[in-house]
Amino acid sequence: MALFGKRRRDALKNVHAERDAFLRRAGVAVLFCFVGVVVLVARLVDLQIVEHEHYQTRADENRMRVTPVAPVRGLIYDRNGSLLAQNQPAFVLEVTPEQVGSREAMDKLLARLQHVITLTDADVTRFKDRVRKSPRYRGVPLRSNLTMEEVARYEIDRYQFPGVEINAGLTRNYPFGASAAHLVGYVGGISEEELRAANESQFLGLTQIGKNGVEKSQEDLLRGEPGAKIIEANAYGRPLRELDYRRGYPGRNLYLSIDTKVQAVAEQAMGNFLGSVVALDPRNGEVIAMVSKPGFDPQLFVGGIDNGTYQTLLNDPQRPLFNRSLQGLYPPGSTVKPAMALAGLEYGVVTPEHTEYCRGEMTLPGSSRKYRCWRRSGHGAVDMLEGVKRSCDIYFYNLATMLGIDRMHEAMTGFGLGHVTGVDLPLEKGGLYPSREWKRKARRENWYPGETLNTGIGQGYVLVTPLQLAQMTARIAMRGDGYKPHVLHAIEDPITRKLSEIQPEPLPKIDLKDNANWDTVIAAMEAVTQEPGGTAYAIGRSAPYRIAAKTGSAQVAGLRQDEVRAPKQEDMPLRLRDHALFIAFAPAEAPRIAVAVMAEHGGHGASIAAPIARQVMDQYLLGYVLYGNENATEASSRVTPSIVPGLPVPPELQQMLQKPVPSGAPAAAAPTPDAPDAAAPEEEDR
């Protein structure tokens, strides 16, 4: 013990050892400090120099928000300046799912919101459906058109609702409701599929996109270019001030060729019938009216339609969402007979004087099957004019036999039957005009002679749209000239107010070997309405302008071979009655309008479809409906365009509407009174 204590005292007295130990410890401490300073300086250099921009951006993001500003969607007018689609100011409640979190968190948020803002079950259901279809980082509208009281209640408790914003914006509104809904279309929420198919940068700040009609086909023009604003916010995300603003560019305003007055007359004239009315200007292809009944309320889709309402529309047996003008495929019936007559003249198989004797029925050689005329007692001897005028089926059965299906196919598809017209609207269907080759490929069967007869009167496999019938009528009216149908008339820049007119696109001319054949067929069509015995004489005899037309009825149910007399349409169940069709153009000497009418299960073209077309032509040519109101005068019944206050029709547009059309057709002659009333037609056309 004494030795150990002595050594300890010696060590304590060793100053050099103590100094060495201290220096070692100090050196280690200095080294650690130096390394720490180096690391600190390196990190400081990294933060302040190397990654300065990155962290500056993140800091700015914490302090500032770059918010996309949706552009103002362009307005849609008719040709006279009546608003078809407009924007209305509204407060919109939006929720960003990514900022809310899980589904449970979303349910709790919605439950809390219901104490502040009125939310119906339909609102919540529609919102959840849209959340499933939209990107999670994009705000989804929960309710539109909030009241000022609801906005105030939300602002008081805003901190309780992360991911929820109330934005003052514009919502789409359709003043005419169901009228022209199929043509104008509607807007709806943007889905992920639509975003992937488009340039996402063009939809910044937008929650809606055109879904149908002009709203869809002209989306690029109507949408505009988004802007952006930079907002400084506090730690709670509450906006403090606006730091910067980049203006976008509003969407273009569109003027359509549609005349809402003619459109309204057509819809009213259709009454309770389902079907379509299409009116074209044959001189440039502009669509004057396009009616599909029944319609639907496009406003249902603007805020997001709930599944129950949508299923109700889908399951409605009248199919209100179905655009009959573009998608409805129907046998054209006797309305193809003028084009058939032209084909017979062009191929030289008949002359205008060629006569067939109609006994009311006929059979093919080697067959006992009877092919009957709509008039069971027969028409007697008929030439081409009488065949068209009285719509004699026997005449056209024989003409079809002489032409053959392949030449019929070539001639009729030349008029556009069985093919899309290319109108500037979505979802158009092409239909079918059959041929020998088509049947061999589609059905792996031979073509039979009896099928040629049915095709010759617009039955059998033939399926066309009302728009195709209107285009065929317009091409006959223009003697082979024609233009692609279109609804867009002019585009207006919302800033400069400059109007750009849409130039019509000409179609390949239908050249005949003898242009006199046009006169022959058009004269026969005039006889339909202007001469006693014509199937539409009842609507043509009192018209102050000459009408060239053709009636038609398309069978829905066939007749038995032993059925000598056809049952009256009025005695048949509605679903088995024939479709009523009618085509016409007027004035016959200088056409300005071509009309096609199709009334589903209307029975007779002459008594149902023809009066509808007459009222449409009256409104367009006279400015009022004369048919059925013979005491009407221009002074008392003319309807002036409904110009929206504060939005007058630009002078440039008025000049466009008044200037000559590019076809060079002569101006229409002043209407003159027609011949005095005479006997009504012998029977309705079938």
Side-chain angles (χ1 to χ4, degrees):
M1 289 292 295
L3 179 62
F4 176 78
K6 182 177 185 240
R7 289 178 178 176
R8 185 178 180 186
R9 288 193 297 271
D10 292 341
L12 289 174
K13 294 178 180 178
N14 191 342
V15 177
H16 295 289
E18 290 181 1
R19 186 182 62 185
D20 291 342
F22 174 78
L23 290 176
R24 284 195 302 270
R25 292 170 184 169
V28 172
V30 170
L31 179 62
F32 273 108
C33 290
F34 178 76
V35 171
V37 170
V38 170
V39 171
L40 183 61
V41 171
R43 183 58 177 161
L44 189 61
V45 170
D46 181 63
L47 291 175
Q48 296 295 327
I49 299 176
V50 178
E51 297 190 46
H52 171 78
E53 293 186 4
H54 171 72
Y55 288 104
Q56 179 68 39
T57 301
R58 293 191 61 180
D60 288 340
E61 287 177 350
N62 291 332
R63 183 175 64 93
M64 297 181 294
R65 293 182 179 181
V66 179
T67 306
V69 178
V72 177
R73 193 169 181 85
L75 306 178
I76 302 177
Y77 301 90
D78 82 335
R79 66 189 297 116
N80 297 317
S82 296
L83 268 172
L84 300 174
Q86 63 182 347
N87 303 309
Q88 286 187 333
F91 288 106
V92 181
L93 180 71
E94 292 186 357
V95 180
T96 305
E98 189 176 61
Q99 298 178 11
V100 176
S102 64
R103 182 179 300 178
E104 292 76 14
M106 179 67 77
D107 291 338
K108 292 179 181 178
L109 176 70
L110 293 175
R112 293 198 306 271
L113 274 172
Q114 286 180 320
H115 295 293
V116 179
I117 293 174
T118 303
L119 295 175
T120 65
D121 292 340
D123 290 332
V124 175
T125 302
R126 180 173 60 244
F127 169 74
K128 290 183 176 180
D129 182 62
R130 296 187 69 174
V131 167
R132 287 192 296 269
K133 298 177 181 178
S134 303
R136 289 186 58 80
Y137 60 82
R138 185 177 292 274
V140 178
L142 174 56
R143 236 207 70 190
S144 301
N145 300 316
L146 272 66
T147 65
M148 292 300 297
E149 182 181 352
E150 289 175 319
V151 174
R153 287 202 302 264
Y154 165 80
E155 288 294 339
I156 293 173
D157 298 322
R158 178 174 183 167
Y159 66 94
Q160 298 183 14
F161 307 108
V164 180
E165 293 281 349
I166 289 184
N167 298 315
L170 299 171
T171 60
R172 205 63 162 169
N173 179 264
Y174 301 97
F176 284 85
S179 179
H182 289 99
L183 187 144
V184 177
Y186 54 86
V187 297
I190 306 173
S191 65
E192 287 194 58
E193 293 76 12
E194 289 168 328
L195 276 178
R196 283 196 295 266
N199 184 350
E200 189 173 344
S201 64
Q202 296 177 344
F203 290 89
L204 293 176
L206 292 171
T207 59
Q208 294 184 321
I209 190 174
K211 295 286 188 177
N212 205 349
V214 173
E215 292 276 28
K216 180 176 181 178
S217 63
Q218 306 300 333
E219 170 66 28
D220 291 343
L221 291 173
L222 290 167
R223 182 176 59 246
E225 300 173 8
K229 60 182 178 180
I230 300 177
I231 298 175
E232 185 177 23
N234 61 17
Y236 297 100
R238 184 181 295 275
L240 299 177
R241 58 174 176 158
E242 185 176 303
L243 300 178
D244 194 13
Y245 180 79
R246 180 175 65 83
R247 185 182 300 275
Y249 206 90
R252 271 59 173 178
N253 299 327
L254 305 183
Y255 284 88
L256 306 186
S257 57
I258 297 298
D259 188 321
T260 52
K261 296 305 176 184
V262 178
Q263 181 90 4
V265 166
E267 290 184 358
Q268 184 177 7
M270 285 287 289
N272 295 325
F273 284 106
L274 311 184
S276 167
V277 180
V278 179
L280 302 177
D281 188 332
R283 304 169 297 174
N284 52 27
E286 289 190 337
V287 179
I288 299 168
M290 183 179 285
V291 172
S292 178
K293 289 197 70 176
F296 62 93
D297 184 4
Q299 210 64 42
L300 293 172
F301 294 86
V302 174
I305 189 169
D306 63 272
N307 187 62
T309 304
Y310 185 59
Q311 290 300 321
T312 300
L313 290 172
L314 281 181
N315 298 326
D316 190 326
Q318 294 188 339
R319 300 185 295 171
L321 298 179
F322 182 64
N323 188 344
R324 287 163 166 80
S325 298
L326 299 181
Q327 299 171 284
L329 299 177
Y330 307 93
S334 295
T335 58
V336 301
K337 289 177 179 177
M340 281 288 295
L342 276 168
L345 296 171
E346 174 66 10
Y347 287 110
V349 299
V350 293
T351 63
E353 295 77 24
H354 174 81
T355 302
E356 296 285 350
Y357 193 84
C358 173
R359 296 182 175 85
E361 64 181 42
M362 66 171 286
T363 58
L364 289 170
S367 172
S368 61
R369 179 179 177 82
K370 296 178 181 179
Y371 295 88
R372 294 189 171 94
C373 184
W374 66 268
R375 186 178 184 185
R376 294 297 189 261
S377 59
H379 290 99
V382 292
D383 58 10
M384 180 172 287
L385 187 144
E386 288 294 314
V388 173
K389 169 184 168 182
R390 298 177 182 271
S391 195
C392 177
D393 291 333
I394 299 301
Y395 183 93
F396 286 94
Y397 285 149
N398 284 288
L399 176 57
T401 301
M402 289 184 280
L403 279 170
I405 186 59
D406 292 323
R407 289 195 290 194
M408 288 164 54
H409 173 82
E410 181 182 6
M412 296 304 178
T413 54
F415 279 101
L417 300 184
H419 295 286
V420 294
T421 65
V423 67
D424 50 348
L425 290 170
L427 305 178
E428 182 187 12
K429 287 188 176 180
L432 171 67
Y433 198 93
S435 66
R436 200 182 307 273
E437 181 182 2
W438 165 82
K439 190 179 181 187
R440 186 165 53 247
K441 288 182 177 179
R443 303 207 170 192
R444 297 182 180 179
E445 296 177 359
N446 293 326
W447 186 267
Y448 299 109
E451 294 171 327
T452 302
L453 270 64
N454 285 331
T455 304
I457 61 167
Q459 296 280 170
Y461 297 116
V462 186
L463 293 172
V464 301
T465 64
L467 179 59
Q468 290 174 19
L469 286 179
Q471 179 177 257
M472 178 193 75
T473 308
R475 303 211 72 182
I476 295 174
M478 299 306 296
R479 290 170 163 77
D481 286 324
Y483 294 85
K484 182 183 291 186
H486 61 281
V487 299
L488 186 57
H489 180 82
I491 303 171
E492 181 186 46
D493 187 299
I495 303 298
T496 65
R497 295 297 178 180
K498 179 181 179 182
L499 279 167
S500 301
E501 185 180 6
I502 300 300
Q503 296 300 318
E505 182 179 341
L507 296 171
K509 182 176 176 61
I510 300 175
D511 288 316
L512 300 185
K513 297 175 182 177
D514 186 355
N515 284 328
N517 293 335
W518 293 112
D519 299 328
T520 300
V521 171
I522 291 174
M525 294 178 69
E526 288 187 65
V528 171
T529 62
Q530 307 300 320
E531 296 183 7
T535 53
Y537 182 59
I539 67 112
R541 59 185 177 179
S542 62
Y545 49 86
R546 292 185 68 82
I547 303 171
K550 184 68 193 77
T551 54
S553 297
Q555 279 188 337
V556 174
L559 302 177
R560 299 193 307 271
Q561 281 290 293
D562 59 353
E563 207 161 3
V564 178
R565 185 171 182 82
K568 291 185 177 181
Q569 293 289 304
E570 294 76 11
D571 297 334
M572 299 174 65
L574 180 63
R575 62 184 178 83
L576 298 180
R577 296 178 188 174
D578 296 346
H579 296 322
L581 298 107
F582 186 75
I583 61 171
F585 62 87
E589 64 277 8
R592 292 166 52 200
I593 184 172
V595 184
V597 177
M598 196 290 304
E600 291 183 6
H601 308 295
H604 299 297
S607 59
I608 300 299
I612 297 172
R614 169 64 196 277
Q615 293 183 51
V616 169
M617 290 185 288
D618 278 358
Q619 178 62 41
Y620 187 68
L621 296 175
L622 306 177
Y624 59 95
V625 177
L626 177 63
Y627 184 76
N629 185 23
E630 275 66 22
N631 294 324
T633 63
E634 184 169 347
S636 62
S637 301
R638 179 179 292 276
V639 184
T640 57
S642 60
I643 305 301
V644 178
L647 291 172
V649 179
E652 298 90 340
L653 181 62
Q654 293 178 344
Q655 294 174 5
M656 289 180 188
L657 295 172
Q658 294 170 0
K659 75 177 189 178
V661 292
S663 64
T672 55
D674 200 5
D677 290 357
E682 47 187 319
E683 272 188 67
E684 302 290 359
D685 173 34
R686 289 185 48 77

